[in-house]
Amino acid sequence: MASCRACDLKVLVAIVCGLLTTIVLGLGIWTTVIRIQKELSTSSPSIPMEFCRNGGTWENGRCICPDLWKGWRCTIANFCENSTYGIFTFDRIPAGKYGSSQQRCDKDTLNEGNPRATRLCNITMYGEIKLENVTIGNCNQTLETLEKQQINNISTQSLNISAEAQILTSDVSRITPEGVISATKVVGEIFNPKRNATLEAKEIAVTTVSQLLDAGEGVFQEAAAAGTDDVNTFAMLVKQMEIYSTSLGNRAVVEPNVAVQSVDLSLESTRHSTSVRFSVKKGSSDSLIPGSTVVERDVEALNPNGETELQILLNTSTSNTTACGFVVYQNNKLFQSKTFKTKSDFSQKVISGSTNENNSQGASVDIVFNPKYNRKEFQLHSYACVYWNLSTKDWDTRGCHKNGNADDFLYCHCNHTTNFAVLMSFKKNYKYPESLNILSSVGCALSITGLVLTIIFQIVTRNVRKTSVTWVLVSLCVSMLIFNLLFVFGIENSNKNLKKSDSDTNKPDSNGNEMLIQDTVYIQNPKCTVVAALLHYFLLVTFSWTGLSAAQLYFLLIRTMRPLPQRFILFISLIGWGVPAIVVVVTVGIIFSQSGSQWELDYRQEEICWLAVSGNNGLITSSLLWSFMMPITIILINNIVIFIIIIVKVIWKTNQNLTSTKKVSLLKKILSTLSITVVFGVTWILAYFMLIGNDDVRNIFSYMFCLFNTTQVWCGLV
């Protein structure tokens, strides 16, 4: 009679479990339909991915083309085809750049592995693309030996030395910090007027500087750290290029990463000019090209338009100025700051405006920048108008102030001439998720209710089973209950509300001109970090107890002849509650020691109070992988192995002495299998499929995960 009542109770619980599963499944389908309808109703026409051809990307209303292509859709060839010159062969060369030969220096030479020759794909004054003759290098010459042996011969061999430096820097992947230092010293001396280098040698030196700026940021950082304070090669090069920029008459030298423009004010027609405006226009790629710079005389103010990327107005109030010059750098690698630290990969342009007077204190500049960054992911938080102080070898704000901002343009004014830039700090536009939907709310409510009832049931009926079994199940349910409560009431980041309140004041401050110290800012939220750590801990505790439960059942059902070890409850308690605490503390400690004061977002996400999905180098360095996914993967593998052993050897093993009916026997086997599946956490395997990149597939597995894990505690009562 008692067995029949127990059977009826299990059947009733199974029916309840089935009804709850049906309800959650229905809510999932309904939520999916609503989501699809919302996407269809709010979808707006956009540029298709196929619009930009040949590897181009759509950014800020235009196609950004790779070096080999140009045009509105990146369909116009911008390269010289594969070519052969004597024994040398060359692949496609982007227009305006030098290409390296396929032939490399032999192993027994000092320059092993470097190209033996280079060839220029030139753009003529009429816009035609033309291959120039080949320049052959010396395989027994390196940048270091070129600096030490040939730098004193620049006055007589400037063209050969400049061409050799260009060849040695043509393969940026092989440039070392020592090579950067040597190359900047050589080209700096070529620009030095006292060395009397030829004009052609100086033009090739501009190419060398442009090629150097393609080297990695880390190479320049190491080179700057290796330089001495009394002799800064970067500062010397920058100063010599300023002087060079005033000596070209009205000519311009434009390379992909550097543009130099001179304006001659000594002519009769321009003798009374008091201001010169220099503009850099946007192009179809990130490189500077001939025709992308414009010079205007006798203008009164800045006049940017939609095609303007950078503009500077040089005001020369003294009549002694006979020439002025401008230099544009596509990035700030030659300007290694000790105070301003960068983490983003946004290109920071630098522009120099100078005159040929030794003392140009009477000159001033007005500058407008159109900063280039990913406007979908980042929001401009603040900016500072700065110049490069050659004395301190760092950015400085003295003599500069902001002139406001409008239409994505940032305006600056400085009462002196030198190298100028706008330092910017950004806030990331995080996509904070919406509050828990109906499916999640109902699921969490059902889970919490089921956990509470399970804990009460286990405590009330503790006398009918082993103490260790009750303790394991109660500990498992308590950890899951606390995790669910933290998830419901703490998973959302309170910064989400700050973003809504600041939505109307998202323009950067135009008042003051304070020096910035970093290019990214974030709002700290210790409460969210604590919640993430607690969620991390209690979910690890939950999995630890599923592993301990599996081990316990293995001892009770498989190794029945051997008693449980002494002090078993104390031992498993130390493991279940203690080991996860060690994992969390060690994880936080390592991240804090590596990241310092900004460690929070290396540990958790900003969108929700949970572990960061990716670290500095992607998933492989994330806290989610090493302190969560790896431990639970090991536990799940262990649980699955024990689950299979118990299912095969105990539950579904044929028993010839079975006296109950086949129907009841089959039902009991199904219910027992389902219960063990829940207790062992096997359904959490679905969480791995939620890491799939496809949104539609990920949503399907998300609903399946929610369906099975919402009703698991109810099914576990069986």
Side-chain angles (χ1 to χ4, degrees):
M1 188 71 178
S3 61
C4 293
R5 291 180 179 177
C7 181
D8 293 340
L9 178 61
K10 290 183 178 181
V11 172
L12 179 61
V13 173
I15 293 173
V16 172
C17 179
L19 290 174
L20 293 175
T21 302
T22 304
I23 293 172
V24 175
L25 180 61
L27 287 172
I29 296 173
W30 176 73
T31 305
T32 304
V33 173
I34 296 297
R35 174 177 166 271
I36 294 174
Q37 290 179 347
K38 184 182 293 186
E39 289 182 354
L40 292 175
S41 61
T42 58
S43 60
S44 57
S46 59
I47 299 297
M49 294 181 62
E50 298 80 7
F51 182 80
C52 301
R53 302 294 181 86
N54 298 309
T57 56
W58 183 263
E59 295 180 13
N60 301 325
R62 62 192 177 114
C63 287
I64 302 298
C65 305
D67 289 339
L68 295 175
W69 301 92
K70 63 181 180 179
W72 172 243
R73 300 183 63 188
C74 306
T75 55
I76 302 175
N78 189 44
F79 56 83
C80 296
E81 286 286 2
N82 300 346
S83 61
T84 302
Y85 188 94
I87 63 172
F88 300 108
T89 55
F90 299 85
D91 296 327
R92 283 181 174 180
I93 305 173
K97 289 189 175 184
Y98 281 82
S100 300
S101 65
Q102 295 181 3
Q103 289 72 26
R104 301 282 164 158
C105 292
D106 297 332
K107 294 182 179 180
D108 56 349
T109 61
L110 292 177
N111 220 6
E112 175 189 349
N114 275 355
R116 290 182 58 189
T118 61
R119 193 173 195 182
L120 174 63
C121 179
N122 195 18
I123 303 176
T124 66
M125 59 182 300
Y126 303 105
E128 298 177 351
I129 298 176
K130 177 185 177 183
L131 270 173
E132 301 292 349
N133 292 334
V134 171
T135 303
I136 303 174
N138 182 358
C139 286
N140 285 313
Q141 188 79 268
T142 65
L143 288 170
E144 290 79 1
T145 58
L146 188 68
E147 173 205 347
K148 295 176 181 178
Q149 300 173 9
Q150 303 294 333
I151 199 168
N152 293 325
N153 299 326
I154 289 178
S155 299
T156 58
Q157 302 179 26
S158 61
L159 183 58
N160 292 336
I161 295 173
S162 186
E164 195 67 46
Q166 182 274 317
I167 294 174
L168 292 172
T169 56
S170 60
D171 188 351
V172 294
S173 64
R174 301 182 65 87
I175 297 179
T176 63
E178 295 77 16
V180 169
I181 295 175
S182 297
T184 52
K185 286 182 179 180
V186 171
V187 295
E189 289 299 324
I190 291 174
F191 288 127
N192 190 341
K194 297 179 181 179
R195 295 288 187 175
N196 296 320
T198 64
L199 291 177
E200 186 178 359
K202 292 181 179 180
E203 290 184 8
I204 295 175
V206 175
T207 302
T208 302
V209 175
S210 178
Q211 291 176 167
L212 283 174
L213 293 180
D214 277 328
E217 179 69 29
V219 176
F220 277 87
Q221 291 176 354
E222 291 184 34
T228 58
D229 293 335
D230 55 336
V231 181
N232 189 294
T233 56
F234 293 168
M236 290 177 60
L237 174 60
V238 168
K239 183 61 179 177
Q240 295 301 331
M241 289 194 70
E242 279 189 41
I243 298 173
Y244 170 66
S245 68
T246 63
S247 65
L248 294 174
N250 288 310
R251 294 175 56 247
V253 179
V254 181
E255 295 295 333
N257 290 320
V258 180
V260 182
Q261 174 73 58
S262 289
V263 180
D264 188 357
L265 301 176
S266 63
L267 300 176
E268 186 68 28
S269 59
T270 60
R271 184 169 297 175
H272 300 291
S273 297
T274 59
S275 59
V276 179
R277 187 167 65 203
F278 175 72
S279 305
V280 178
K281 298 187 296 183
K282 294 179 180 178
S284 58
S285 70
D286 291 329
S287 300
L288 296 168
I289 59 174
S292 61
T293 60
V294 179
V295 173
E296 301 168 277
R297 297 179 174 88
D298 293 325
V299 291
E300 298 181 355
L302 296 169
N303 186 29
N305 54 39
E307 295 299 314
T308 303
E309 190 167 3
L310 177 63
Q311 194 173 88
I312 180 172
L313 180 68
L314 178 60
N315 302 296
T316 57
S317 58
T318 61
S319 58
N320 296 328
T321 301
T322 59
C324 63
F326 305 94
V327 183
V328 178
Y329 303 91
Q330 281 289 78
N331 56 61
N332 60 352
K333 293 176 183 177
L334 287 174
F335 305 85
Q336 292 294 317
S337 175
K338 296 182 288 291
T339 57
F340 182 72
K341 304 301 180 183
T342 59
K343 288 189 175 181
S344 64
D345 57 354
F346 300 136
S347 179
Q348 176 69 62
K349 285 183 171 58
V350 180
I351 186 167
S352 164
S354 56
T355 66
N356 63 340
E357 291 183 281
N358 293 330
N359 188 354
S360 57
Q361 291 183 354
S364 63
V365 296
D366 291 286
I367 317 168
V368 59
F369 292 85
N370 187 357
K372 188 176 180 180
Y373 60 95
N374 191 332
R375 301 177 188 273
K376 292 183 179 180
E377 293 188 12
F378 291 90
Q379 171 188 326
L380 182 61
H381 176 256
S382 181
Y383 72 98
C385 300
V386 296
Y387 75 98
W388 187 253
N389 191 323
L390 292 174
S391 300
T392 61
K393 302 176 183 63
D394 211 337
W395 296 115
D396 200 340
T397 59
R398 284 181 294 179
C400 298
H401 65 265
K402 301 176 184 177
N403 261 357
N405 59 84
D407 300 327
D408 296 329
F409 289 104
L410 307 178
Y411 292 83
C412 297
H413 175 82
C414 294
N415 59 13
H416 51 78
T417 60
T418 183
N419 297 277
F420 304 98
V422 166
L423 303 183
M424 295 170 287
S425 62
F426 300 92
K427 287 196 304 184
K428 190 171 182 180
N429 290 327
Y430 292 101
K431 296 180 180 179
Y432 294 98
E434 297 180 0
S435 300
L436 296 178
N437 55 26
I438 296 178
L439 176 61
S440 300
S441 300
V442 171
C444 290
L446 291 173
S447 295
I448 292 171
T449 304
L451 287 167
V452 172
L453 293 177
T454 302
I455 294 172
I456 295 174
F457 175 79
Q458 291 293 328
I459 294 175
V460 171
T461 62
R462 63 185 182 277
N463 294 327
V464 300
R465 68 179 68 84
K466 291 181 177 292
T467 303
S468 61
V469 174
T470 301
W471 176 250
V472 169
L473 290 175
V474 169
S475 297
L476 173 61
C477 292
V478 167
S479 61
M480 291 180 63
L481 176 61
I482 297 175
F483 173 82
N484 275 275
L485 292 173
L486 287 169
F487 178 83
V488 172
F489 297 105
I491 192 67
E492 288 189 6
N493 192 341
S494 58
N495 289 347
K496 172 182 177 180
N497 300 323
L498 295 177
K499 179 183 177 182
K500 293 180 179 179
S501 62
D502 293 342
S503 59
D504 297 331
T505 59
N506 56 7
K507 289 188 176 182
D509 184 16
S510 298
N511 300 320
N513 193 30
E514 299 295 330
M515 182 66 186
L516 303 180
I517 60 174
Q518 59 186 15
D519 66 340
T520 53
V521 296
Y522 71 96
I523 301 175
Q524 295 184 349
N525 192 343
K527 177 184 175 182
C528 185
T529 305
V530 171
V531 171
L534 291 175
L535 287 170
H536 184 193
Y537 170 70
F538 281 106
L539 196 52
L540 284 178
V541 170
T542 299
F543 276 99
S544 297
W545 282 111
T546 62
L548 293 170
S549 177
Q552 183 190 50
L553 282 180
Y554 178 79
F555 277 105
L556 293 177
L557 299 178
I558 304 300
R559 303 180 66 179
T560 56
M561 302 303 296
R562 296 186 181 184
L564 294 174
Q566 293 183 352
R567 299 181 180 178
F568 181 71
I569 295 179
L570 176 61
F571 177 72
I572 61 175
S573 297
L574 291 176
I575 295 177
W577 297 102
V579 172
I582 296 175
V583 172
V584 173
V585 171
V586 170
T587 302
V588 172
I590 292 175
I591 294 176
F592 179 79
S593 63
Q594 293 178 345
S595 305
S597 59
Q598 297 185 2
W599 66 276
E600 290 187 31
L601 290 187
D602 288 333
Y603 175 68
R604 65 165 174 85
Q605 303 178 42
E606 174 64 18
E607 294 86 348
I608 58 174
C609 301
W610 178 238
L611 300 180
V613 175
S614 60
N616 295 328
N617 297 316
L619 179 64
I620 195 66
T621 59
S622 69
S623 56
L624 179 69
L625 175 64
W626 296 105
S627 66
F628 181 71
M629 292 181 63
M630 289 294 289
I632 68 170
T633 299
I634 295 173
I635 294 173
L636 280 176
I637 292 174
N638 173 76
N639 289 2
I640 292 171
V641 171
I642 297 178
F643 171 76
I644 294 173
I645 293 174
I646 293 176
I647 293 299
V648 173
K649 291 189 175 183
V650 179
I651 296 179
W652 290 90
K653 185 177 181 180
T654 304
N655 190 348
Q656 301 296 334
N657 299 321
L658 185 65
T659 57
S660 53
T661 63
K662 292 183 179 180
K663 183 177 181 180
V664 175
S665 177
L666 179 62
L667 179 61
K668 290 176 65 177
K669 290 180 180 180
I670 294 175
L671 294 178
S672 299
T673 303
L674 182 61
S675 298
I676 296 177
T677 302
V678 169
V679 173
F680 284 12
V682 177
T683 54
W684 276 78
I685 295 175
L686 294 171
Y688 291 90
F689 294 97
M690 293 166 60
L691 300 174
I692 296 175
N694 186 284
D695 289 339
D696 295 329
V697 176
R698 185 169 60 246
N699 285 328
I700 293 174
F701 282 105
S702 297
Y703 287 125
M704 291 176 63
F705 176 81
C706 185
L707 171 67
F708 286 108
N709 287 281
T710 294
T711 57
Q712 67 177 358
V713 292
W714 291 91
C715 299
L717 286 172
V718 178

